[in-house]
């Protein structure tokens, strides 16, 4: 690419090394979560939510479990103002939920903000102003002293209006564009604000350190957070919050490393909605912690329902590959992946293990409201025998012998390849029925009678070419006797009879299923399946199905050979 020389690193490392966070292995407890869907997420929508939609979304956030919810910028528009008043006046805010509002450091905006907050049981008033080099030089064209004055003036006004307004208020300050600010200056601004607010153990202040634009690798952000955590005044009475954006695709990593570095609070949105590339995705961040056995205090047990509401209210789609929430994130099409998942699920059932460790599945999809059937294993031309067998067993109770799975797997792969599409479980089942179950051509089984002496003697009736025949055979068992009768009288030869049977427990009453595999003299393997209310009859039907598949295949081979010779 051209123009590489145009770009330089715009972030600032701390003046001292801050690497204690590297000694921690993982996050051990959930942060305080603050949803900014209704402010940052809403202002990023092509069509912002109306009042009713915002009220519905607020209720969704409460149901998920958020205890802090930023509800907007009430001085920015009538809809924002009316929304906040509706929440307060209609008593829609649960007692354990704190709302948050955003304000610039301007007298009339702060006055309007507190007017909208009148009567709030618990509210965080979030003051911000930009501090980065780029903002100071290009937007405000002010020196550092003037930027500090903006923050200090706003902090004083918040304190004044809070004392004069009915309600219960806490304060939050953000040095917006923190990641593009010299760390010493960001610390100076925050400490000046803290000196105005004088936080105590009973009245803590939030210092929010946003990656307004993500400029660096996540470890740099972590070092910046740790530096601030180590040097802020009143640290025991300060809650450090992070608000990562996702410009570099590292919003989740920034938040995770930021928490290791001392952040106690995270601001973000469901599924990462927000300006430009969005905010940190709280669904992903929380479920990452969940996968390590950490209680997140958020409820994502019905992800499909949450997605449906979010998509309806925001008019935006959750991508199919979105972590945890996407339609396909637990789905395996690859044959080797499907086989490992199916075996892992079976191992889990056999061992009754406490901890989840199924290959390729980070968490149990059912824990977030996803279903095994149709979610985990889906079939196309890339799929393998294990996945196909898993679908039949889970959806229809058919437990194919291991040796049969390869044969059927190729049937399904070929069908998907020819049709150039994914095959649904019912389509896979239809292929199995048509290719293997109770096949009656060219040799149709009618009935049998067995007599047991020192060995089994069996009379078997068949129909072939519209004619009925009765043959007699002997063997070690009834199925062996019938098999010998067919081979002797019809001149059909095969070896290595494989047999398996089980009860059919899915949607069929008391039927039995049998599977038979035979090997032709040229070494090819052929399979058949029989389903019947009588277990022995099902096994005979399976044998005839395998024989018919062999005879049909050999006839086709002969016909192809004839054509080749004629040419």
């Amino acid at each position: 690419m051209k123009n590489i020389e145009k770009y330089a690193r715009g972030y600032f490392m701390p003046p001292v090394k801050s690497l204690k966070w590297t000694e921690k292995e993982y996050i051990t407890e959930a942060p305080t979560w603050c949803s900014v869907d209704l402010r940052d997420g809403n202002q990023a929508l092509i069509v912002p939510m109306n009042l009713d939609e915002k009220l519905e979304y607020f209720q969704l956030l409460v149901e998920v479990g958020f205890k802090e919810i930023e509800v907007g910028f009430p001085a920015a528009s009538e809809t924002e103002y009316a929304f906040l008043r509706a929440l307060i006046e209609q008593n829609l805010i649960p007692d354990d939920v704190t709302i948050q509002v955003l304000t610039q450091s301007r007298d009339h905006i702060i006055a309007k903000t507190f007017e909208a907050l009148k009567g709030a049981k618990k509210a965080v008033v979030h003051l911000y102003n930009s501090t980065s080099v780029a903002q100071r030089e290009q937007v405000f064209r002010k020196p550092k002293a003037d930027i500090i004055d903006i923050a200090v003036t706003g902090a004083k006004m918040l304190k004044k209006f809070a004392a004069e307004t009915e309600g219960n208020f806490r304060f939050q300050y953000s040095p917006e564009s923190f990641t593009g600010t010299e760390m010493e200056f960001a610390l100076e601004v925050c400490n000046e604000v803290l000196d105005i607010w004088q936080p105590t153990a009973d009245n803590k202040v939030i210092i929010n350190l946003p990656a307004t634009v993500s400029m660096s690798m996540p470890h740099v952000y972590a070092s910046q957070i740790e530096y601030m955590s180590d040097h802020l005044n009143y640290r025991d009475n300060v809650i450090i919050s992070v608000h990562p954006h996702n410009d570099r695709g590292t919003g989740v990593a920034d938040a995770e490393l930021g928490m290791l570095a001392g952040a106690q609070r995270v601001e973000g949105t469901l599924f990462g909605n927000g300006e430009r590339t969005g905010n940190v995705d709280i669904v992903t961040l929380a479920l990452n912690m969940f996968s390590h056995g950490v209680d997140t205090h958020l409820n994502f047990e019905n992800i499909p329902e949450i997605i449906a509401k979010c998509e309806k209210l925001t008019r935006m789609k959750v991508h199919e590959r979105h972590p945890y929430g996407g339609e396909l994130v637990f789905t395996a099409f690859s044959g080797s992946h499907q086989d490992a998942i199916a075996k892992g699920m079976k191992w889990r059932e056999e061992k009754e293990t406490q901890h989840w460790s199924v290959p390729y599945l980070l968490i149990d999809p059912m824990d977030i409201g996803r279903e095994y059937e149709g979610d985990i294993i889906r079939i196309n031309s890339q799929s393998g025998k294990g996945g196909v067998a898993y679908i039949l067993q889970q959806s229809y109770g058919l437990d194919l012998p291991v040796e049969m799975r390869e044969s059927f797997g190729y049937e399904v792969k070929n069908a998907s390849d020819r049709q150039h599409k994914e095959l649904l479980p019912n389509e896979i089942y239809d292929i199995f029925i048509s290719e293997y179950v109770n096949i009656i051509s060219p040799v149709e089984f009618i009935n049998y009678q067995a007599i047991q002496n020192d060995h089994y003697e069996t009379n078997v009736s068949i129909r072939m070419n519209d004619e009925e025949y009765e043959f007699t055979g002997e063997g070690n068992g009834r199925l062996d006797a019938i098999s010998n009768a067919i081979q002797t009288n019809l001149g059909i030869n095969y070896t290595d009879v494989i047999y398996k049977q089980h009860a059919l427990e899915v949607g069929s009453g008391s039927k039995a299923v049998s599977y038979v595999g035979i090997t032709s003299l040229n070494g090819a393997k052929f399979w058949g399946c029989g389903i019947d209310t009588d277990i022995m009859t099902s096994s005979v039907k399976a044998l005839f199905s395998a024989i018919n598949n062999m005879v049909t295949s050999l006839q086709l081979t002969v016909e192809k050979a004839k054509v080749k010779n004629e040419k």
Side-chain angles (χ1 to χ4, degrees):
M1 291 179 64
K2 299 178 181 178
N3 301 323
I4 296 174
E5 67 281 356
K6 183 188 296 184
Y7 300 96
R9 293 180 294 277
Y11 59 85
F12 297 88
M13 287 292 289
V16 294
K17 283 187 177 181
S18 300
L19 298 172
K20 294 191 296 293
W21 61 269
T22 62
E23 299 171 4
K24 300 175 184 177
E25 181 182 349
Y26 65 98
I27 301 162
T28 57
E29 61 181 357
T32 297
W33 303 104
C34 178
S35 162
V36 295
D37 290 80
L38 290 168
R39 195 271 302 172
D40 199 338
N42 183 56
Q43 69 189 29
L45 301 178
I46 297 172
V47 180
M49 287 179 270
N50 60 34
L51 179 58
D52 289 338
E53 290 169 335
K54 286 169 75 75
L55 289 170
E56 186 176 350
Y57 206 108
F58 180 83
Q59 182 58 40
L60 170 64
L61 295 172
V62 170
E63 291 171 358
V64 167
F66 286 98
K67 301 305 179 186
E68 296 188 7
I69 301 172
E70 189 170 80
V71 296
F73 198 145
S77 73
E78 285 305 312
T79 300
E80 301 273 285
Y81 186 95
F83 173 51
L84 177 53
R85 291 313 306 162
L87 290 173
I88 295 172
E89 293 171 3
Q90 297 176 34
N91 198 28
L92 299 175
I93 307 168
D95 291 341
D96 63 346
V97 171
T98 299
I99 57 171
Q100 177 173 300
V101 295
L102 189 68
T103 181
Q104 294 173 325
S105 181
R106 300 172 68 181
D107 195 353
H108 71 285
I109 291 178
I110 292 174
K112 184 78 170 179
T113 299
F114 276 94
E115 177 186 307
L117 281 169
K118 184 178 179 181
K121 296 176 183 177
K122 290 189 293 186
V124 170
V125 186
H126 181 185
L127 173 73
Y128 76 97
N129 67 297
S130 291
T131 60
S132 68
V133 174
Q135 293 272 6
R136 296 197 314 259
E137 293 179 348
Q138 301 171 37
V139 180
F140 297 104
R141 302 193 178 191
K142 292 180 181 293
K144 290 180 178 179
D146 288 355
I147 300 301
I148 292 175
D149 185 61
I150 292 172
V152 168
T153 300
K156 291 177 179 178
M157 285 191 288
L158 255 63
K159 197 170 183 178
K160 171 182 178 293
F161 277 97
E164 298 171 352
T165 305
E166 176 193 352
N168 184 8
F169 307 110
R170 293 165 53 211
F171 299 144
Q172 172 173 323
Y173 175 70
S174 289
E176 193 204 0
S177 60
F178 165 75
T179 47
T181 304
E182 307 92 323
M183 289 299 103
E184 303 97 316
F185 181 58
L187 179 66
E188 182 181 359
V189 176
C190 290
N191 279 335
E192 290 280 357
V193 170
L194 290 171
D195 284 340
I196 301 298
W197 286 340
Q198 295 286 313
T200 66
D202 295 328
N203 188 23
K204 293 186 178 183
V205 163
I206 301 168
I207 293 295
N208 186 54
L209 303 172
T212 308
V213 177
S214 177
M215 294 180 164
S216 68
M217 293 176 68
H219 74 286
V220 172
Y221 187 57
S223 295
Q224 293 170 337
I225 298 300
E226 187 167 275
Y227 171 77
M228 296 292 286
S229 178
D230 286 345
H231 294 88
L232 279 172
N233 295 339
Y234 315 95
R235 180 64 185 91
D236 289 344
N237 301 324
V238 172
I239 298 168
I240 291 183
S241 175
V242 291
H243 181 125
H245 280 245
N246 201 38
D247 304 83
R248 291 170 54 90
T250 58
V252 169
D254 285 339
E256 290 179 327
L257 297 193
M259 283 188 278
L260 291 180
Q264 302 141 286
R265 183 177 183 270
V266 174
E267 293 187 349
T269 58
L270 297 177
F271 306 108
N273 181 32
E275 291 189 272
R276 307 186 310 278
T277 55
N279 289 284
V280 63
D281 171 10
I282 287 183
V283 173
T284 299
L285 184 58
L287 290 177
N288 280 356
M289 296 168 59
F290 177 76
S291 75
H292 285 166
V294 177
D295 184 357
T296 66
H297 306 298
L298 296 176
N299 183 358
F300 295 120
E301 292 178 0
N302 195 341
I303 280 284
E305 182 178 315
I306 294 172
I307 290 174
K309 286 186 178 180
C310 286
E311 290 184 339
K312 181 188 79 168
L313 295 171
T314 65
R315 302 169 183 84
M316 297 181 71
K317 293 292 184 183
V318 173
H319 194 275
E320 291 91 337
R321 297 294 181 189
H322 194 106
Y324 301 105
E327 180 185 354
L328 298 177
V329 296
F330 294 110
T331 301
F333 289 103
S334 162
S336 60
H337 288 206
Q338 291 176 343
D339 185 58
I341 291 171
K343 288 176 179 176
M345 297 292 285
K346 187 174 181 61
W347 184 89
R348 181 172 173 78
E349 290 177 8
E350 293 171 349
K351 301 296 183 181
E352 297 183 356
T353 180
Q354 177 185 356
H355 294 112
W356 181 262
S357 61
V358 175
Y360 298 111
L361 297 178
L362 180 61
I363 66 172
D364 186 345
M366 292 193 73
D367 285 339
I368 57 172
R370 302 293 293 271
E371 299 293 334
Y372 292 146
E373 181 180 334
D375 266 347
I376 295 182
I377 291 177
R378 290 165 61 173
I379 305 301
N380 62 17
S381 60
Q382 305 301 306
S383 303
K385 59 185 180 181
V388 172
Y390 181 85
I391 291 292
L392 277 187
Q393 184 170 20
Q394 291 294 310
S395 300
Y396 300 100
L398 295 167
D399 186 12
L400 274 59
V402 173
E403 302 92 333
M404 185 181 187
R405 294 174 185 178
E406 184 171 3
S407 172
F408 182 54
Y410 280 116
E411 293 280 357
V412 173
K413 284 166 65 77
N414 291 338
S416 176
D417 196 36
R418 287 194 305 270
Q419 300 174 45
H420 199 63
K421 69 165 196 167
E422 176 188 355
L423 296 180
L424 300 177
N426 65 296
E427 294 173 308
I428 296 167
Y429 178 74
D430 289 343
I431 293 172
F432 183 75
I433 294 296
S434 66
E435 297 295 329
Y436 294 96
V437 179
N438 298 350
I439 307 299
I440 62 173
S441 177
V443 183
E444 180 182 0
F445 165 69
I446 299 176
N447 204 348
Y448 79 94
Q449 291 180 330
I451 302 172
Q452 183 177 1
N453 296 312
D454 294 335
H455 55 275
Y456 281 89
E457 182 178 315
T458 304
N459 295 326
V460 57
S461 299
I462 68 163
R463 180 181 293 109
M464 188 170 60
N465 298 325
D466 295 326
E467 297 287 339
E468 290 191 14
Y469 303 90
E470 185 173 293
F471 303 135
T472 299
E474 296 181 354
N476 297 324
R478 285 174 289 182
L479 189 63
D480 186 46
I482 293 172
S483 175
N484 290 335
I486 295 300
Q487 293 193 74
T488 300
N489 290 279
L490 292 182
I492 298 172
N493 298 303
Y494 52 83
T495 60
D496 300 330
V497 177
I498 299 173
Y499 172 68
K500 177 183 177 180
Q501 62 85 20
H502 64 79
L504 187 59
E505 298 176 351
V506 177
S508 62
S510 57
K511 288 186 178 179
V513 184
S514 297
Y515 310 90
V516 169
I518 58 177
T519 304
S520 67
L521 296 184
N522 64 6
K525 184 77 72 177
F526 297 93
W527 289 93
C529 174
I531 300 178
D532 196 90
T533 54
D534 176 71
I535 185 62
M536 186 60 208
T537 302
S538 75
S539 65
V540 177
K541 288 182 176 180
L543 174 64
F544 272 79
S545 295
I547 290 171
N548 283 322
N549 281 335
M550 183 184 75
V551 171
T552 300
S553 176
L554 293 177
Q555 286 176 341
L556 289 174
T557 302
V558 171
E559 291 300 322
K560 288 180 180 178
K562 287 181 179 178
V563 171
K564 184 177 180 180
N565 289 334
E566 289 173 0
K567 289 181 178 179

